[in-house]
Amino acid sequence: MLHIYCPYCGENRDQDEFKAKGEAHISRPLDPMGCTDQQWGDYMFFRKNPRGVHHEMWYHVAGCRKFFNMTRDTVTYRIYETYKMGEQPSVTAESLAGGQS
Ligand SMILES: [Zn+2]
């Protein structure tokens, strides 16, 4: 079981209190009516599924009921960080490849 730090509650809590909501940092197209079917379909349905470092959105359903983002390794399940919505991750696959942790 994962122990997840909620950046809003400020506590580590059991994974059972949270719900994973998929890839983080998905931006809605600014002009949906100007999108092609291909662009709209990509936005609606296609997500990355990387092996390794991934940024995910999570929901603290049994706690503060707020959404936040997490940087997690999909192979090792290591959680590098959690951060509030609107913030940018400090850990990325590129920063880890450069030797930072
Ligand atoms: Zn919370």
Side-chain angles (χ1 to χ4, degrees):
M1 173 178 291
L2 297 174
H3 292 275
I4 299 172
Y5 180 81
C6 174
Y8 295 101
C9 295
E11 296 180 14
N12 282 302
R13 307 294 296 178
D14 288 343
Q15 179 184 353
D16 291 345
E17 292 190 8
F18 299 88
K19 196 166 200 65
K21 300 302 280 185
E23 184 180 346
H25 306 288
I26 303 292
S27 297
R28 181 181 172 91
L30 293 176
D31 181 16
M33 298 306 287
C35 289
T36 64
D37 288 347
Q38 175 77 41
Q39 291 169 324
W40 188 251
D42 288 348
Y43 163 70
M44 290 295 292
F45 303 111
F46 290 94
R47 300 293 183 257
K48 295 174 187 166
N49 188 21
R51 179 178 167 82
V53 176
H54 188 47
H55 304 288
E56 303 170 323
M57 186 166 57
W58 284 72
Y59 179 47
H60 196 177
V61 65
C64 61
R65 303 183 64 84
K66 291 184 178 176
F67 288 86
F68 62 91
N69 292 325
M70 173 190 296
T71 303
R72 183 175 70 88
D73 191 310
T74 60
V75 176
T76 64
Y77 294 96
R78 177 180 174 182
I79 297 171
Y80 289 100
E81 63 181 343
T82 58
Y83 50 99
K84 296 177 180 177
M85 300 304 285
E87 296 178 348
Q88 292 298 311
S90 60
V91 176
T92 63
E94 294 77 25
S95 72
L96 291 173
Q100 300 174 5
S101 61

